[in-house]
Amino acid sequence: MDTLFGIKCKDCVVLAADCHAAFSVIRLKDDEDKMTVIDDDKLIAAAGPNGDRRNFVEYIQKNAHLYRLRNDVKLGPAAFANFTRNELAYNLRNKPMQVDLLVGGYCQETQTPKLYFMDYLAAMQEVSKASHGYGAMFCLGLMDRYWQKDMTEEQGVEVIRRCINEMQTRFLVKISDFKIKVVDKNGVRVIQLLLTQPLQLQPQPFRPQQRQPQQRQSQQRTQQPHPQQQRQQQQPQPQRPPQPQRPPSQQRLSANLVRPASRGSMADAKAREPVGVTRAKQWTPEVENAFRLQEAGYRGVEDALALGLDEPELWPEGYIRMLPTRKSIENGSRVLLYFRRTPECDSRRLHTVKIYRY
């Protein structure tokens, strides 16, 4: 039931793997890391039986380290992929191992990312996107549709996120936990995604306040003749998308900020404590941004600014686009949490949003 995804972007390679370990029909754990770092600039994702997968990946990792110690030179992504394929071919004729691999790396000589596809029959090919396991049956067409030659890291992560959502929607077995890693010229890092709500390939804005006009139209259809019905449906349609209401939400996010007197003095911002708190009752753009801030560990925008962060980056619709998590900032690292362009706070999570008063 292993699932691997890989996609090559303009300056990096994004790999994803599920975190489930199973034996026969028994699920053993949900925090297995199936991606292994090689020499800080290469990444190998493996799928297969637990014994074969662990033994082969550890054997490859230690031999790559041994080559670096003996020759004082790191294997490049192409050399490492060919070495791995050669070992798979040797084992195929002596002690076969059912291991499928995706190898990603960043070539420091050519300044380009590399992605290689390998299966247990020792077949290897350099590709731009790849998948192993049952995920390949669902998501190869999705990758072909959205992959572009000059994709950014954010776009690559979004494609992987769509693939994960497709698996969660279509596959018979529940695969809920995935780990995503990115390898580029700076090394390997982990990407955390908010997967609390399924994505839509053609997302529609969440507008619960427009349900009443739709009910009125359904009543008018039964009372008025057909020609008048067409005129009434054509007139309100240009006013239906609330595009003019979104820029004010973006302005309100910046207008509600109470900044310290100087950017360097954060003591005043840290000293501010809320005087009250209420639960959100109805969805608004402010509630949506509060939900995203609290998912990253902040009480509000002031709480994020007090840690020395810049003002959150916004989508054109006024929603927060990306935030570093509070825990990673306090630990000295920087783990980014990406959000979609469409609302993520649905009715099931609306009651969890806290609105603080200062």
Side-chain angles (χ1 to χ4, degrees), residues 20 26 66 83 133 166-167 174 185 231 247 250 333 349:
H20 303 300
I26 303 173
L66 180 61
F83 169 75
E166 190 73 9
M167 283 291 295
K174 179 182 179 182
K185 62 181 179 180
R231 298 191 193 98
Q250 182 175 358
S333 59
R349 299 172 180 84

Side-chain angles (χ1 to χ4, degrees), residues 1-2 20 48 58-60 146 236 244 257 314 328-329 337 346:
M1 296 298 177
D2 297 333
H20 303 300
E58 290 179 2
Y59 172 80
I60 294 298
Y146 288 101
L257 300 180
L314 305 179
S328 65
I329 294 298
L337 195 61
D346 56 5

